[in-house]
Structures are given as structure tokens and as C-alpha cells.
Amino acid sequence: MRRIFILALMLIGAYKSVSAQELYVFTEPASNMPKKSIGVRITNEGMFNYPGYVSRTIPEVMIGFSKNLMMHTQAFLSDMDGKYRLEGGSLYAKYRFLSLDEAHSHFRASAFGRISTSRRPTYTRDINLEGDNSGVQGGLIFTQLLHKLALSSTLGFAHAFENSDRQIAGMPQPKNMLSYSLSSGYLVLPVVYKDYKQPNFNVYLELLGKTDPGSGQSYLDIAPALQMVLNSATRIDFGYRFQATGNMDNRYTKNMYLLRAEFNFFNVLK
């Protein structure tokens, strides 16, 4: 039991002191959560580009099967089509295939995949597999940690499933989408790391873009965010994304805040 306790503390310390600034708010890093751990998230997204305010709630469970493999399962609920209801769900998996470690830096590369289902009707050309569309997605993530600064880029390709029952006549019928992002995170506090109980305060700036290869329409969002990590196990995020440039109309995520609470439980799986 004592060995397990010491191992858990080591995992928690590594989760916080090495990669806290890699816990991006709008994207996933190439690094994984510690093995044999479980995380629970609840995310609220609020969108202001409707004739009135609408919101989406995303409960999520994350499992770290090993240092290289983790999985997320999500459910999507919103009032975007009138009454508040369950929209669908998603499975996301990430496999880390490259790790290069040095004293105060490391480089990670991972491949990810997602499959989603949604009962929402199609109003926009944008493909969003976290609530708005049914489809599949795959891609690559590259993350570089340089002491207190972490940089990450993501390249992805999504394909939306056709469903004539939910595709509205005269509205765009999206098929494929290229996605790309560049994220930066900086560990502001603590200035000097002493133990895993110290709160972490991180600041983020993320660039989030997509291109529809069929029409050539695209957009690029800027997404600043703040994050607090408590006791290396509880995480609170707040961020806001807004469009910097683009010509893709009627996007749900064009002006959107994100508020999230996450709770992690280490060394709980056998």
C-alpha cells in the first residue's frame, strides 16, 4: 500500500509540475493523462451568435489505459433547437507514438480518432463533432514543452455522415473538413515548484481554424483562456473564442465561451 501511495504521488507530481501548461482548454495535447487514472469533466459552452443566448453541456469521462493510450467518452445536451435535450455522444481515442525527453523539456507526438453521433439538423457548413454533426475524425498532434512554455499543433480531417432526415433543404450539407490549430500555454504560478499541493495558474492562447475543401470556405478563431489546477487533481478552465478572419457563415462556435471543471483520480484502475 505504501508503494502504491508513493507511486500515486509521483504520478500526480508529474501531472502537475511537468505538463500543467499542456492542459489546453480548446484542444488536446499530444501528452496523455497518467496510466490507470480516470478523469471526469463537465463543460458548459455558451454561444451568442443566435437570436438569443443558447448553451451546451458536455459531461465527459476520460480513462488512461497506459502511458500511450487514453480514451474519452462524451454526451452532448443543449437547448439549441428549442427545448433542452440530449443531442448525441462521442468516443475519442488518442495514442502517443513518440516521446523525446530532456531535463526541462520534452516533445510528444500522438494520433487521435473520434466517432460521433448527433440528432441535430444541419444548418451550417462547419463540421463540429462535439454536438452538431455525426461523423468521424482523425489526425495528428505535436506538443513541445520548453520549461514553463508549451506549444502544440493539431492537424485533422473530419467526414460528416449523410442523413437525409436531418439535412434541411436549402441549407449547406457538409461532407469533409480540414482542421488545424496552434496552441500555447504558459505556467505563471508557482514561480518555484515545491510540492504537488501548490496551485497552478496557466494562461493560454490558441488559434483554431478550419477549411472546407469542397467550397474553399474557411475561418480562423482566436481563443484566449485561463486555468487553475488545484492539488494536481482538480482543474478549472475559462476561455472565449472569437473569429479573427473567415468567410464560413452561420457557425455555432463563432462567439463562444467555455467553462469547465475537471476532477482526476489517479492509480484507480488495476
Side-chain angles (χ1 to χ4, degrees), residues 15-56:
Y15 177 74
K16 176 181 175 181
S17 63
V18 175
S19 58
Q21 61 271 44
E22 293 179 46
L23 304 175
Y24 302 105
V25 175
F26 290 93
T27 59
E28 286 288 322
S31 299
N32 285 337
M33 63 193 302
K35 65 179 181 179
K36 300 182 180 181
S37 59
I38 293 177
V40 178
R41 285 178 178 173
I42 184 73
T43 301
N44 177 257
E45 299 175 345
M47 286 145 274
F48 301 96
N49 53 320
Y50 277 73
Y53 168 80
V54 294
S55 67
R56 170 175 287 136

Side-chain angles (χ1 to χ4, degrees), residues 15-264:
Y15 177 74
K16 176 181 175 181
S17 63
V18 175
S19 58
Q21 61 271 44
E22 293 179 46
L23 304 175
Y24 302 105
V25 175
F26 290 93
T27 59
E28 286 288 322
S31 299
N32 285 337
M33 63 193 302
K35 65 179 181 179
K36 300 182 180 181
S37 59
I38 293 177
V40 178
R41 285 178 178 173
I42 184 73
T43 301
N44 177 257
E45 299 175 345
M47 286 145 274
F48 301 96
N49 53 320
Y50 277 73
Y53 168 80
V54 294
S55 67
R56 170 175 287 136
T57 301
I58 306 175
E60 182 174 0
V61 176
M62 307 174 294
I63 301 175
F65 294 105
S66 70
K67 66 179 182 179
N68 294 324
L69 179 64
M70 67 178 297
M71 180 173 288
H72 301 216
T73 179
Q74 298 172 303
F76 309 115
L77 306 96
S78 87
D79 58 357
M80 297 174 69
D81 298 311
K83 63 180 181 179
Y84 206 81
R85 65 171 187 169
L86 176 66
E87 299 173 315
S90 176
L91 290 176
Y92 172 96
K94 181 173 58 176
Y95 180 77
R96 187 179 72 186
F97 60 85
L98 179 63
S99 298
L100 302 175
D101 297 308
E102 297 183 9
H104 296 289
S105 67
H106 64 234
F107 178 80
R108 303 279 189 264
S110 294
F112 71 91
R114 179 190 297 274
I115 183 168
S116 301
T117 182
S118 174
R119 59 193 291 193
R120 295 208 63 218
T122 301
Y123 293 102
T124 174
R125 190 172 298 279
D126 188 22
I127 295 176
N128 174 28
L129 296 185
E130 292 188 82
D132 295 319
N133 301 91
S134 298
V136 293
Q137 183 185 30
L140 298 171
I141 310 172
F142 306 94
T143 301
Q144 175 73 65
L145 176 68
L146 300 168
H147 192 42
K148 292 188 176 184
L149 174 67
L151 302 172
S152 187
S153 62
T154 301
L155 299 172
F157 177 82
H159 174 73
F161 297 146
E162 294 186 11
N163 191 313
S164 58
D165 294 336
R166 292 194 293 269
Q167 291 178 339
I168 300 175
M171 293 293 179
Q173 298 182 3
K175 293 184 178 181
N176 301 310
M177 190 69 63
L178 298 173
S179 60
Y180 35 88
S181 67
L182 178 62
S183 304
S184 61
Y186 189 79
L187 177 64
V188 177
L189 295 173
V191 177
V192 178
Y193 177 75
K194 295 179 180 179
D195 62 67
Y196 70 89
K197 292 184 178 181
Q198 289 176 277
N200 276 192
F201 182 71
N202 304 303
V203 296
Y204 296 93
L205 183 63
E206 303 188 59
L207 304 178
L208 313 169
K210 289 183 182 178
T211 296
D212 174 17
S215 67
Q217 294 184 7
S218 64
Y219 68 84
L220 181 68
D221 286 357
I222 299 176
L226 303 174
Q227 181 183 83
M228 181 73 73
V229 181
L230 304 173
N231 291 322
S232 298
T234 300
R235 165 183 163 186
I236 301 171
D237 299 338
F238 178 74
Y240 187 84
R241 63 185 293 175
F242 57 93
Q243 182 170 297
T245 184
N247 59 355
M248 192 177 296
D249 298 328
N250 302 320
R251 293 198 297 115
Y252 300 117
T253 60
K254 186 174 182 178
N255 297 291
M256 184 192 84
Y257 77 77
L258 183 152
L259 180 63
R260 174 186 293 131
E262 177 180 320
F263 308 94
N264 290 279

